[in-house]
Amino acid sequence: MPLEIVSRKEWGANPPKFVKKVGKAVNFVIIHHTATPQCDTTEQCIASLSSIQKVHQNTNGWSDIGYNFIVGGDGKVYEGRGFNVIGGHASQFNAKSIGISLIGNWNDAVPGQNMLRATQEIIDFAVEEGHLASNYQLHGHRQVSQILCPGNALFNEIKDWPHFPGK
Ligand SMILES: [Zn+2]
């Protein structure tokens, strides 16, 4: 399946409270999991995104859903804050990274191939479009914060990906 990006309009995102732009290509990709139940259908994934956005905006008091992009179990990439916008997902790295979160809890199980492929495709697309430096570094959230995210299984998976430190 080719890369399919579902726009905020298409998934019915609430508007951000405010937007802070990133001026140039960023140097890092930070991989997350949502630690919420998996979604299989587009309808389920959209419901999941809506509830995550509510928590981030209303409970956490953030401007918007924290991640730049979110990957669903339907193999689609959902636009979060999008490109060139500072995310709210990895404190010290927000202004210099693209945060991508895979819907689900990936501590014991690895996401499906469609999700892994979609994640790599949005990363490649970010480089092609000039939003991400071609010599970017890929990190799991746990490498930059005291947190278990993105889960043991997903973290082990991305250790084999290009641009992981030491690769
Ligand atoms: Zn995270």
Side-chain angles (χ1 to χ4, degrees):
M1 197 171 88
L3 173 65
E4 186 174 351
I5 301 177
V6 180
S7 70
R8 297 176 64 91
K9 190 178 174 194
E10 286 171 304
W11 69 264
N14 284 327
K17 295 178 192 167
F18 58 88
V19 172
K20 278 190 185 164
K21 292 280 190 183
V22 179
K24 56 180 169 57
V26 294
N27 294 303
F28 295 89
V29 172
I30 310 291
I31 300 292
H32 301 266
H33 69 168
T34 59
T36 59
Q38 299 174 34
C39 58
D40 296 320
T41 67
T42 297
E43 195 180 11
Q44 288 171 353
C45 293
I46 287 175
S48 175
L49 284 167
S50 298
S51 83
I52 293 167
Q53 189 188 28
K54 272 200 191 86
V55 170
H56 286 186
Q57 285 187 316
N58 302 344
T59 309
N60 299 4
W62 300 347
S63 73
D64 196 355
I65 192 166
Y67 314 112
N68 297 93
F69 292 92
I70 305 94
V71 178
D74 57 357
K76 295 178 185 174
V77 175
Y78 291 85
E79 183 186 22
R81 297 197 187 189
F83 289 123
N84 302 119
V85 176
I86 297 180
H89 57 89
S91 51
Q92 305 297 324
F93 279 74
N94 285 331
K96 50 185 177 183
S97 70
I98 295 174
I100 304 172
S101 192
L102 286 76
I103 296 179
N105 186 319
W106 305 116
N107 205 41
D108 297 322
V110 181
Q113 282 301 321
N114 62 338
M115 295 183 74
L116 299 175
R117 199 179 315 118
T119 305
Q120 290 179 317
E121 284 172 352
I122 185 69
I123 293 171
D124 290 345
F125 181 71
V127 172
E128 282 164 24
E129 295 289 305
H131 304 302
L132 179 63
S134 57
N135 62 346
Y136 72 90
Q137 280 194 51
L138 177 82
H139 287 306
H141 191 188
R142 63 175 62 180
Q143 289 170 280
V144 299
S145 298
Q146 292 289 341
I147 195 163
L148 295 175
C149 180
N152 290 335
L154 178 53
F155 184 60
N156 284 335
E157 166 68 28
I158 67 168
K159 283 178 181 171
D160 290 331
W161 288 13
H163 298 267
F164 190 88
K167 288 301 284 186

